[in-house]
Amino acid sequence: MSDQQIILPIRTKKELMDFACASNQFHNDQHRNLVVTLTKDINLGGKEWTPIGNESFPFHGTFDGAGHTIRGLHISQNREGCYGFFGAIDGTVKNLTILGTMTCLADDLYSAVGGISGVVVEGHIQNCTSNLIVESNGKNVGLFAGGIAGRVENGTIQNCHSSVVFQNSGGIFLYLGGVVGSAADSQINSCVFDGTIHILDGADGKFSLGGIVGSIEGQSDVIRCTHNGIADGQWQDTDFPAVGDIIRQMDTEKEHIPQMEQC
């Protein structure tokens, strides 16, 4: 396979939707050298969005927002999956702002939800901003939710800004962070959360919550991050009955001690 980059500029809503459809249909495995670049702001108009990539076939290339904004993202999901502008990535997403809404309404879910990507596995998100409303009915069986990414494994989230509002969150178990829901063997660096986390009153379950990261494990670092958000809600009989400042819960079974710094 050639190492030559494939450059794809995107200027319009139609071009973006055509790219997303083609990427999901052909799984772009042959396009690890693909560089997608936005050349203008795009408004999706609130039409239901199908995330690019999933855990079986993640997005492999580079998506460069070039400082542009995608508005009107709308996802209303009622089945298990990975949800965000991207469903799953193992490539790079950078210089992108996402505005919109995501709604999680099903009773039986085990899902990952993030403003930029639901799941990041050996991938990178850099210089991105998400400003969304994430709504839940609190009945989810399991949910990984973060303003930038729901779940990150062996990846990096760097210089990102989340102003996401999490409304009516709850469930049987919940990993929720202002930036990342759950991080394993990953680095979260120079990120800011200034949104809102609201937990349903009376919600009953196993929660792991944090202003930046809900839960970290393995060789993970959280460096130079700032939490200016608001967290509220009252609940009882939970394993993690409080919202943490930067990180609420850590798996310290491994010898590595996560590095945590706050500006």
Side-chain angles (χ1 to χ4, degrees), residues 98-112:
I98 298 290
L99 309 178
T101 62
M102 288 192 286
T103 306
C104 315
L105 293 177
D107 291 346
D108 297 306
L109 290 180
Y110 183 88
S111 295

Side-chain angles (χ1 to χ4, degrees), residues 9-262:
I10 289 182
R11 298 170 288 272
T12 67
K13 173 183 173 181
K14 183 180 185 303
E15 288 178 349
L16 180 59
M17 296 185 73
D18 287 348
F19 160 71
C21 181
S23 183
N24 286 332
Q25 182 175 356
F26 299 109
H27 309 311
N28 89 318
D29 186 54
Q30 71 275 33
H31 289 162
R32 291 186 179 273
N33 298 318
L34 176 66
V35 178
V36 180
T37 304
L38 292 187
T39 62
K40 291 184 177 181
D41 293 352
I42 293 176
N43 193 334
L44 294 174
K47 181 177 179 180
E48 182 70 21
W49 177 255
T50 299
I52 301 169
N54 55 54
E55 284 191 283
S56 298
F57 301 102
F59 175 75
H60 299 300
T62 296
F63 191 101
D64 185 356
H68 292 291
T69 297
I70 295 176
R71 304 175 187 276
L73 178 77
H74 175 70
I75 297 173
S76 182
Q77 54 99 345
N78 57 9
R79 58 194 174 106
E80 177 182 335
C82 304
Y83 296 94
F85 180 70
F86 291 88
I89 69 168
D90 64 6
T92 298
V93 180
K94 60 184 181 179
N95 308 321
L96 178 66
T97 295
I98 298 290
L99 309 178
T101 62
M102 288 192 286
T103 306
C104 315
L105 293 177
D107 291 346
D108 297 306
L109 290 180
Y110 183 88
S111 295
V113 173
I116 304 297
S117 184
V119 172
V120 178
V121 179
E122 298 183 352
H124 312 280
I125 299 177
Q126 304 164 356
N127 306 319
C128 288
T129 297
S130 62
N131 189 346
L132 301 101
I133 295 175
V134 178
E135 174 80 23
S136 172
N137 62 0
K139 296 182 180 180
N140 307 88
V141 171
L143 186 65
F144 298 86
I148 299 296
R151 192 173 83 242
V152 182
E153 299 176 7
N154 296 292
T156 61
I157 310 295
Q158 184 174 6
N159 196 31
C160 290
H161 183 184
S162 165
S163 296
V164 172
V165 175
F166 296 93
Q167 296 183 164
N168 301 320
S169 301
I172 303 304
F173 71 87
L174 174 67
Y175 298 84
L176 192 158
V179 175
V180 172
S182 174
D185 299 312
S186 299
Q187 186 179 94
I188 317 302
N189 190 345
S190 302
C191 293
V192 175
F193 173 62
D194 57 11
T196 302
I197 297 173
H198 177 259
I199 306 299
L200 280 175
D201 291 351
D204 184 8
K206 180 177 180 180
F207 297 163
S208 186
L209 312 172
I212 299 296
V213 184
S215 173
I216 64 172
E217 56 186 76
Q219 305 289 318
S220 293
D221 295 322
V222 179
I223 305 170
R224 292 184 294 277
C225 292
T226 303
H227 162 35
N228 297 320
I230 299 172
D232 65 1
Q234 298 177 354
W235 57 94
Q236 298 177 354
D237 301 324
T238 62
D239 289 349
F240 302 102
V243 176
D245 183 15
I246 300 298
I247 300 170
R248 173 58 192 156
Q249 180 263 343
M250 292 180 287
D251 179 354
T252 56
E253 293 182 359
K254 297 183 180 181
E255 294 182 359
H256 177 73
I257 304 298
Q259 180 179 354
M260 291 176 288
E261 300 178 7
Q262 183 177 13

